């Protein structure tokens, strides 16, 4: 599961947080890794961090909302490192606001990054994916199946991401390409959790809603990414897999509320 020697990995949104941890874990396992995100300084810093782990690495500035820019980044990675064995689509944006408190542009911005961006990344990558053999991973979120107030944009976008996973698993199965979604639960010390739970009280409530009683670590998600891309998961495609300490089970939330009462 941990041998990615000579393999090529491309991580869209790979300059921080969970996605950078995924990129680092593949780098530690021997892969050549390209990361892409909007900010040139952040992708360069990420590439440096990957090189410090001994990997060949590229940092490419591209916005996933710009189909041409992301296609150019993928072409550059392919030119440098060859066919892509593992593609991760993880770029995302979020803010907390009621539906009536976000403009059409606010809603569209998140859908454009999370959902249309994932389509742009996967669509453009197909030409460069190893056939057969590539593993495509989209990073989804519990909002895809838990209706969450103040998250209308993310709920709509990530539900779409998981449906894209299922459709492309069917369309691309014949090429020997597997397509799966990983659904992280709340992961400690990440921008995602800082935005959703900005106070110590909110953090404590969030932690109480997780049956395993702890926040996830970025490595929990990286472990699933490597497993799904390994020889051990060759019959897994079209799957939407929570890695969340049980927090998607729903009933746990009722239980923690009852215990607190
Ligand atoms: P993060 O550190 O903010 O990572 C987001 C990444 O996406 C950054 O590298 C950012 O870099 C890039 N990005 C944002 N907009 C972009 C765009 N338009 N084009 C290209 N890249 C873009 O967040 P995180 O909390 O680790 O979340 C990572 C992923 O996990 C997301 O898909 C999120 O929905 C998912 N997730 C997170 C949690 C959690 O607990 N944190 C839970 C469930 C799901 P630039 O700013 O340089 O563009
Ligand atoms: N409440 C309501 N609307 C908001 C908002 C908030 N808290 N934050 C942003 N918006 C709206 C803006 O007002 C704007 O709409 P308007 O022009 O009609 O007012 C729209 O969203 C776009 O904002 P802008 O700042 O121009 O977008 P951007 O493309 O520069 O940034 C974001 C995208 C807003 C998602 C930004 O937070 C971001 O870059 N996030 C990436 C990191 C992240 O979210 N990480 C967590 C991943 S889970």
């Amino acid at each position: 599961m941990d041998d990615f020697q000579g393999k090529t990995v491309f991580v869209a949104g790979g300059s921080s947080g969970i996605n950078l941890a995924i990129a680092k874990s593949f780098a530690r396992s021997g892969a050549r890794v390209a990361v892409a995100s909007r900010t040139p300084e952040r992708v360069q810093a990420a590439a440096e961090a990957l090189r410090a782990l001994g990997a060949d690495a590229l940092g490419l500035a591209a916005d996933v909302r710009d189909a041409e820019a992301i296609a150019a980044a993928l072409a550059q990675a392919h030119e440098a490192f060859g066919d892509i064995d593992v593609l991760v689509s993880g770029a995302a944006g979020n803010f907390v606001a009621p539906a009536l408190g976000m403009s059409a542009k606010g809603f569209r911005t998140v859908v454009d990054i999370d959902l249309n961006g994932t389509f742009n990344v996967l669509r453009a990558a197909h030409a460069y994916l190893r056939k057969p053999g590539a593993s495509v991973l989209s990073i989804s979120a519990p909002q895809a199946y838990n209706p969450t107030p103040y998250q209308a944009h993310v709920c709509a976008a990530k539900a779409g991401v998981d449906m894209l996973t299922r459709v492309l698993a069917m369309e691309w199965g014949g090429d020997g390409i597997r397509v799966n979604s990983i659904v992280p639960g709340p992961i400690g010390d990440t921008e995602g959790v800082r935005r959703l739970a900005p106070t110590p009280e909110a953090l404590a409530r969030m932690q109480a809603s997780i049956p395993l009683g702890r926040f996830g670590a970025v490595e929990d998600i990286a472990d699933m990414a490597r497993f799904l891309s390994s020889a051990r998961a060759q019959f897994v495609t079209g799957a939407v897999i929570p890695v969340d300490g049980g927090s998607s089970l729903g009933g746990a939330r009722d239980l923690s509320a009852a215990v607190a009462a």
Side-chain angles (χ1 to χ4, degrees):
M1 167 177 152
D2 282 329
D3 184 10
F4 289 89
Q5 207 68 41
K7 305 274 186 180
T8 296
V9 176
F10 185 102
V11 184
S15 63
S16 62
I18 293 171
N19 303 321
L20 177 57
I22 293 172
K24 285 181 175 173
S25 86
F26 279 108
R28 284 191 203 94
S29 304
R32 300 178 285 247
V33 184
V35 292
S37 79
R38 292 169 299 182
T39 326
E41 299 75 29
R42 299 187 81 201
V43 289
Q44 288 319 326
E48 280 307 317
L50 294 165
R51 286 186 201 110
L53 297 172
D56 283 344
L58 264 182
L60 302 162
D63 190 318
V64 294
R65 291 170 286 191
D66 180 340
E68 283 179 16
I70 202 70
L74 284 154
Q76 218 177 316
H78 182 255
E79 174 78 21
F81 294 155
D83 282 359
I84 296 171
D85 297 283
V86 181
L87 174 72
V88 180
S89 174
N94 195 4
F95 55 82
V96 174
L100 295 179
M102 63 178 81
S103 65
K105 184 180 163 200
F107 184 85
R108 190 168 61 238
T109 296
V110 169
V111 172
D112 268 349
I113 301 171
D114 294 25
L115 176 57
N116 298 339
T118 293
F119 179 80
N120 292 339
V121 170
L122 270 55
R123 169 78 179 79
H126 184 271
Y128 306 120
L129 293 174
R130 188 174 303 285
K131 303 174 199 73
S135 162
V136 175
L137 302 171
S138 285
I139 309 302
S140 181
Q143 290 92 323
Y145 41 75
N146 290 336
T148 311
Y150 311 118
Q151 291 282 276
H153 46 3
V154 176
C155 288
K158 294 288 193 180
V161 166
D162 288 347
M163 197 47 91
L164 258 186
T165 288
R166 297 181 179 105
V167 172
L168 295 188
M170 295 181 78
E171 291 192 9
W172 295 356
D175 295 327
I177 297 170
R178 297 178 302 104
V179 187
N180 294 292
S181 281
I182 299 175
V183 188
I187 305 299
D189 198 22
T190 60
E191 187 58 28
V193 163
R194 277 189 283 278
R195 286 176 186 231
L196 291 174
T199 63
E201 295 73 27
L203 267 181
R205 273 198 307 277
M206 192 178 263
Q207 183 165 351
S209 78
I210 305 169
L212 282 184
R214 68 164 174 91
F215 283 95
V218 291
E219 290 76 18
D220 291 320
I221 308 305
D223 285 348
M224 179 56 77
R226 291 197 322 289
F227 169 70
L228 284 173
S229 304
S230 77
R232 305 275 172 90
Q234 291 300 304
F235 205 48
V236 182
T237 196
V240 173
I241 301 183
V243 181
D244 66 358
S247 57
S248 59
L249 298 174
R253 209 162 277 140
D254 300 340
L255 180 63
S256 59
V259 168

